[in-house]
Amino acid sequence: MNQIYPGQDYIPGITDAPLLAYSPMVFMAPADVAPGLRKQPDVYQALVTAQTHQDLDPSSPLLPIHFVQTAPTRSNSGLQTLVTQFASVSNKRPEQLTVADVEEYQPQVQQIQSKVTRYGASTNSLAEDMIKNGPFWASVGSVYESSVIKANSQSQAQPQQTRYEAIYPLSTFTSNMRGILPNAPWINEDEKQATAKVLEYLRSPEIQKIATDLGLRPGVPGIPLGDKFSAQFGVDAKAKYDSLRPPQPEVVDAMLQSWENFAKKPSQVVIVVDSSGSMRGEKLPAVQNTLRFYLESLGPKETLALIDFDSEIQQPVLISGTPEGRDRGMQFITSLNAGGGTRLYDATLFAQNWLQQNSKSDAINAVIVLTDGADSESVNSLEQVEQELQKTGFNTDQRIAVFTVGYGQEGEFEPEVLKKLPVSMVDTIVKAIQIRLPI
């Protein structure tokens, strides 16, 4: 950048940033739980001590509080959620918070975080998972209003599913989508004029209606909200709230450090790695890339157990977030070689049983299976695996999540097998070379 424009700021000045669309952060909860949450002056303050929804409101069901949010290191909504939690428990506006406040109030934030079921990477998928997996998986989520609309839109075809509603905090962040034209020397007049026309087009009634159909509030005053902003889709078209402003950068950094080192709920994840002969070619290197990415992002409150399998199932290799642990993890990754048969079903049950015996009550316990879904030598059948996984799912005290991640191009892996494996959790079927793991 300095070579292009010496001596200037890295980010050029912004002359204009017209609003295109926006969506506020809300709480998402089942219809029978939402009224009790609406009675709370501040939901996050209530979540510090409450363990069940009846603790919040006697008329609510006796349902444990299981909270979900995206990870603040991977998602805007996760960071907005974390900032709001600190602001709520401190009774301060975010812009008034100091680094000292973060240290003082992190125990209360930790109490909220202790109720987390999952830290997702995508806000929309988190809301969809809430509807798919039900209130025993997550009874409260921090998502965008548009996520509630999208999730309820997709569940309209399945009336038997639990309906979810948005609860609007008195103060919240909004996700503002803006069009930005930088005032920079490498943008000529023709490009500026073209950009202005694009922004004008995006703010036209025709395009603004597309935004509202997607569950976004329009950036242009006077545009009708449309049919999806209704109780049928769990939201309130006339909701009122105060918009929060961000803290100082050093305070945000302190919050993230606090979350990773103190407040975040610990996780214990078993990763089951298919290194059978069917993983030759691009598949196994893709798995290795995924594992390396995950290993490099491993935090101090996360532990891994890596299990390699083909015709044989190897004993777990335990990995911590220390330099020594990462070195052990890299040794595991580099030692992987594709060959042999595939005991996918047996390896999945082996991982579930190991985690059941070694689970931590204060942690998120999960199994992630990296495979192409082709089993050839298992003693157990797919039906037996399904039955066994149900015994440790979210309707049990074990609460072990199971994810599957598929590798290969279309026709090279078996998605129907992977869809059946994690009956207690949403499956992730991908055809990518490198992905983020779902924990």
Side-chain angles (χ1 to χ4, degrees), residues 13-18 20 178-182 195 199:
I14 297 172
T15 57
D16 192 15
L20 305 178
R178 296 180 177 275
I180 299 176
L181 174 60
T195 301
L199 294 178

Side-chain angles (χ1 to χ4, degrees), residues 70-76 78-79 119-122 293-294 436-439:
T70 55
T73 52
R74 292 192 286 176
S75 167
N76 287 337
L79 182 55
Y119 295 108
S122 163
F293 178 86
Y294 193 92
R436 288 181 183 269
L437 293 183
I439 288 290

Side-chain angles (χ1 to χ4, degrees), residues 239-310:
K240 295 181 179 179
Y241 52 86
D242 181 23
S243 292
L244 296 175
R245 298 181 63 83
Q248 293 298 311
E250 64 272 15
V251 176
V252 174
D253 183 62
M255 290 178 179
L256 290 173
Q257 292 294 325
S258 170
W259 181 76
E260 290 200 289
N261 297 308
F262 183 85
K264 181 183 180 182
K265 188 171 184 177
S267 65
Q268 181 171 240
V269 179
V270 181
I271 301 183
V272 184
V273 182
D274 183 350
S275 63
S276 63
S278 65
M279 295 294 287
R280 290 191 180 99
E282 293 183 335
K283 296 179 188 177
L284 188 60
V287 168
Q288 290 171 309
N289 285 335
T290 300
L291 288 171
R292 182 180 179 183
F293 178 86
Y294 193 92
L295 189 66
E296 290 174 348
S297 63
L298 197 64
K301 304 194 76 174
E302 299 166 320
T303 57
L304 296 180
L306 303 176
I307 298 176
D308 175 26
F309 78 93
D310 44 39

Side-chain angles (χ1 to χ4, degrees), residues 5 8 61 66 72 89 109 142 183 188 235 244 260 275 278 282 327 353 382 395 425:
Y5 198 42
Q8 299 299 314
H66 295 303
V89 299
V109 173
S142 177
N183 182 18
N188 61 42
V235 300
L244 296 175
E260 290 200 289
S275 63
S278 65
E282 293 183 335
D327 288 345
N353 292 333
L382 179 57
N395 289 330
M425 193 53 181

Side-chain angles (χ1 to χ4, degrees), residues 30 32-33 53 61-68 115-117 129-140 162 164 393-397 399-400 424-425:
D32 58 347
V33 163
H53 284 278
L62 187 58
L63 183 70
I65 295 173
H66 295 303
F67 180 67
V68 290
K115 299 170 178 67
V116 167
T117 291
D129 290 350
M130 287 183 69
I131 286 184
K132 179 175 181 177
N133 297 307
F136 284 97
W137 181 70
S139 58
V140 189
T162 303
Y164 283 75
F394 286 103
N395 289 330
T396 71
D397 293 335
R399 295 185 60 79
I400 294 176
S424 63
M425 193 53 181

Side-chain angles (χ1 to χ4, degrees), residues 127-355:
E128 292 164 10
D129 290 350
M130 287 183 69
I131 286 184
K132 179 175 181 177
N133 297 307
F136 284 97
W137 181 70
S139 58
V140 189
S142 177
V143 301
Y144 293 118
E145 179 188 55
S146 59
S147 303
V148 179
I149 292 174
K150 181 178 180 181
N152 280 323
S153 297
Q154 294 178 348
S155 69
Q156 294 288 315
Q158 299 175 327
Q160 74 278 10
Q161 285 190 323
T162 303
R163 196 176 72 84
Y164 283 75
E165 298 179 0
I167 296 92
Y168 296 83
L170 295 177
S171 298
T172 190
F173 282 102
T174 58
S175 176
N176 297 325
M177 285 141 270
R178 296 180 177 275
I180 299 176
L181 174 60
N183 182 18
W186 57 84
I187 301 176
N188 61 42
E189 286 303 316
D190 288 343
E191 290 171 329
K192 289 181 180 179
Q193 291 179 18
T195 301
K197 289 185 179 296
V198 170
L199 294 178
E200 181 181 356
Y201 174 68
L202 293 175
R203 286 169 56 84
S204 67
E206 172 189 7
I207 302 303
Q208 290 288 294
K209 183 182 183 303
I210 294 176
T212 62
D213 289 343
L214 293 172
L216 298 169
R217 292 183 178 250
V220 178
I223 301 293
L225 287 178
D227 296 338
K228 288 195 173 179
F229 287 85
S230 66
Q232 180 184 355
F233 294 92
V235 300
D236 180 1
K238 298 181 179 179
K240 295 181 179 179
Y241 52 86
D242 181 23
S243 292
L244 296 175
R245 298 181 63 83
Q248 293 298 311
E250 64 272 15
V251 176
V252 174
D253 183 62
M255 290 178 179
L256 290 173
Q257 292 294 325
S258 170
W259 181 76
E260 290 200 289
N261 297 308
F262 183 85
K264 181 183 180 182
K265 188 171 184 177
S267 65
Q268 181 171 240
V269 179
V270 181
I271 301 183
V272 184
V273 182
D274 183 350
S275 63
S276 63
S278 65
M279 295 294 287
R280 290 191 180 99
E282 293 183 335
K283 296 179 188 177
L284 188 60
V287 168
Q288 290 171 309
N289 285 335
T290 300
L291 288 171
R292 182 180 179 183
F293 178 86
Y294 193 92
L295 189 66
E296 290 174 348
S297 63
L298 197 64
K301 304 194 76 174
E302 299 166 320
T303 57
L304 296 180
L306 303 176
I307 298 176
D308 175 26
F309 78 93
D310 44 39
S311 300
E312 302 293 331
I313 302 171
Q314 304 301 321
Q315 289 298 310
V317 176
L318 302 182
I319 306 297
S320 65
T322 64
E324 295 78 16
R326 292 190 182 92
D327 288 345
R328 194 179 306 116
M330 281 303 298
Q331 291 173 3
F332 174 92
I333 294 170
T334 55
S335 70
L336 293 171
N337 290 294
T342 312
R343 292 179 60 191
L344 172 61
Y345 306 153
D346 293 349
T348 301
L349 287 184
F350 178 84
Q352 179 216 27
N353 292 333
W354 184 90
L355 188 54

